[in-house]
Amino acid sequence: MKQWITILLSILLCLSLASCQRGPSAEDVGLAMCKLYVHGDTEVASMLSDWDVAAVRDHMEQDFYHQLYSNLEASGIEDPDETALNEVISALMDARKRIPLKVETVETEKDRVTLQITVGSLDIGEIDATAAQRALEEIKGRSDLSKEDLDDLMQAYTEALKAEFDASDPTEVQTSFTVKFIENEGVWLPEEMNRFIEQLGQHIRR
C-alpha cells in the first residue's frame, strides 16, 4: 500500500511539473492514477523514472508470481517453467488492460472536486480456481504422481490460466464509486489516498 502511495504521488509531481501555466484538473489526475493502477498504463508510466516504472511492474506482478509459485509448490512442483509463468503474467496484464475505465466530475466546490469512477472487474481468484480445477481434471485418477505427471499438471495449469485470462471479459460487470479530490498548492490529490487505492483494488480481486 505504501509503495502505491509513493508511486501515485510521483505521478502527481510529474503532472504538475509537466504543466506550463496551470496544473492538470482533478479529473486528469484521477484518470492518470486509475490507468496506472488498473492498466499499468505505459503512457502514464513514461512520465516516471526508470526506477518508478520498475516498481510499478514489480508491484503488479509480484503478488501473482508468489501465488502461482505457492500453488505449484503445494502440488509438488518445485521447479516451474519460467517461460510458461511469464506467458501467464503477460496474459494477466493484457486482461487488466481490457478493464474499462471512466472518470467524470459530478460535483465541484472551491478547492474540492467529487469524481465518479466507473471501472470493470477482473476476478483473478476465480480465474485461478477455475484453471486449477481444469488442471486437476487432466490428472484425475492417477496416484503416486511421477515427475512426468507433475510436469503434465504444470503444463495443464499454466495453459488453463492463460486461456482463462485470454477469454476473460472485464466489461461484463462495471460498478461506480465516488472519490473526493482536494487541491493542495495547485495539485489535486485524493482526500483519502488509502481508501481510493482500496476501492480500485476491489475490482482486481485475488
Side-chain angles (χ1 to χ4, degrees), residues 3-4 7 36 40 42 45 50-63 65 89 93 96:
Q3 184 183 46
W4 269 112
I7 292 168
L36 179 64
T42 54
D50 290 341
W51 183 90
D52 283 330
V53 172
V56 171
R57 185 178 300 110
D58 287 346
H59 187 85
M60 297 182 79
E61 297 178 359
Q62 191 175 46
D63 287 347
Y65 263 122
I89 294 296
M93 299 307 293
R96 289 181 71 144

Side-chain angles (χ1 to χ4, degrees), residues 1 29-30 33 35 40-41 118-119 127 139 141 148 154 165 172 181 187 189 202-204:
M1 179 70 76
V29 174
M33 287 183 164
K35 282 186 174 181
D41 185 82
T118 303
V119 58
I127 288 174
I139 60 169
E148 183 178 347
M154 162 73 184
F165 282 127
E172 286 185 349
F181 273 64
V187 177
L189 68 160
Q202 289 172 5
H203 294 80
I204 309 171

Side-chain angles (χ1 to χ4, degrees), residues 6 20 36 45 84 88 105 120 150 182:
T6 301
C20 298
L36 179 64
V88 171
T105 301
L150 292 176
I182 57 175

Side-chain angles (χ1 to χ4, degrees), residues 2-52:
K2 290 181 179 179
Q3 184 183 46
W4 269 112
I5 291 175
T6 301
I7 292 168
L8 294 179
L9 288 176
S10 296
I11 291 177
L12 291 174
L13 177 61
C14 290
L15 288 171
S16 180
L17 293 174
S19 61
C20 298
Q21 297 182 343
R22 59 183 295 275
S25 67
E27 196 169 304
D28 292 336
V29 174
L31 182 60
M33 287 183 164
C34 290
K35 282 186 174 181
L36 179 64
Y37 187 90
V38 176
H39 296 160
D41 185 82
T42 54
E43 181 179 347
V44 174
S46 68
M47 296 186 295
L48 307 177
S49 68
D50 290 341
W51 183 90
D52 283 330

Side-chain angles (χ1 to χ4, degrees), residues 112-152:
R112 186 174 268 97
V113 170
T114 301
L115 301 179
Q116 178 173 282
I117 297 174
T118 303
V119 58
S121 179
L122 182 68
D123 194 333
I124 297 175
E126 182 179 348
I127 288 174
D128 179 59
T130 300
Q133 184 60 41
R134 287 175 56 183
L136 290 173
E137 289 293 326
E138 292 290 325
I139 60 169
K140 188 175 181 179
R142 305 186 197 181
S143 58
D144 298 326
L145 298 180
S146 65
K147 184 180 184 308
E148 183 178 347
D149 291 328
L150 292 176
D151 288 343
D152 289 344

